[in-house]
Amino acid sequence: MYLYEYQGKELFWEAGIPTPRGIVVKNPEEAEAAFAGFSSGVAVKAQVHTGGRGKSGGIRLARTIEELRESIGIILGMDIKGHTVRQLLVEEILPIKREFYLGLIVNGKKGMITFMFSPFGGVDIEEAAGRDGSGFFQWDIEDPLSVEEFHIRNFLRKGGLQGNILASATSIAFKLYNLFLKKDLVLAEINPLVLTEDGNLKAADARIETDDNALFRQPDLSFTVDETTDKLELRAREIGVSYVQLPGDVGIIASGAGLAMNTMDILERRGRKPSNFLETGGGITSKLIADSIELLISNPAVKGVLVNLYGGVNPMVEAAMGVISGLKNCDMAIPVVVKLLGNQQEEAWSILESADIPVVKSVSTEKAVDILLEKMGAV
Ligand code: GDP
Ligand code: MN
């Protein structure tokens, strides 16, 4: 999950990484009250789960109360790449002399943590192109647990830092690295890391992503669960399925990732959008399927559900019973079509048919999609 900037900065505070003082606000009244606490003006920053706010106009500086009101009027409610701005961070303005980039990422391809630094930070480096240039330095960490402060100092020196700035950047980078390991992060970016006019380094931005599979051992990161999407994804984690929330209205339950993606493609080819990706994996029980059905239908956007299963190790009789009991637990009557093959298929089909649930008995997902769309009144 991505953290909001202000949540990331709270982690920075705890870790001893210097960052501007700020207050989160939700309306003009709160913003004006916050403004009174800053004598030399504020930066007003949209809090959304996406980067590139600077370029989209989601960050403005306000030195007077009039400028503040104008900024709030523009940013609050603004749409940034599909995210509506409902919260703002009002924080102390930084007199910026230079902007650096400092980041850590779990590089899935290499299976390593990579340190990243650039002496040319700021809004332009956010674009991928800026990351390929000669001014961008990367260090793939071979042995994460043996990293010491001097390794980091050497890396930043190669990136062009020296003197006092090298010393304080090293201290910040080392704290960032320890935070990264301790909190099971997969991304931690400070862009920009600002050198102020008076010679201090401060984290002016915080872009942090947690490892969702490690959240069970990070109870103090549970504050990230504050939106419907996150709630559904958290519930999916409890159930034990892989789930990704999507913007469409057709729910999908599939027994494998490939089957799920294939189903999504066929749906999109029919001009419809999936409401989710859901993969059960190999541990199907009737409870897991019932819980998954309930999860999908608890999303108010969902108008129909396609269950697409292949039973190799998975017992299809359990799946069939799960579909029936899941639907019983829902108040809403939503069309459901099941395509199911493999282990105990005949028995499973007759269980579903005796409950009047449409069953597709061939390998054709297209057919299942068409029956569902017809039942949804969508064709
Ligand atoms: P992003 O565009 O979503 O990554 O948002 P950032 O927090 O990185 O802000 C974008 C840019 O706004 C930064 O690179 C700075 O140039 C500028 N900015 C942000 N905060 C301040 C501030 O307190 N003072 C000044 N002068 N500029 C700021
Ligand atoms: Mn930034």
Side-chain angles (χ1 to χ4, degrees), residues 5 9 20 42-43 45-46 50-56 59 61 63 91-96 99 121-124 126 191-192 194 204-207:
E5 177 191 9
K9 284 179 168 171
V42 295
K45 311 182 77 180
T50 180
R53 297 163 303 161
K55 291 215 158 169
S56 318
I59 291 171
L61 304 181
R63 295 182 195 277
E91 67 176 19
E92 125 193 39
I93 237 173
L94 290 179
I96 297 181
E99 297 185 320
V123 291
D124 287 324
E126 309 261 311
N191 183 36
V194 160
D205 191 9
R207 189 158 163 75

Side-chain angles (χ1 to χ4, degrees), residues 159 167 370:
D370 290 341

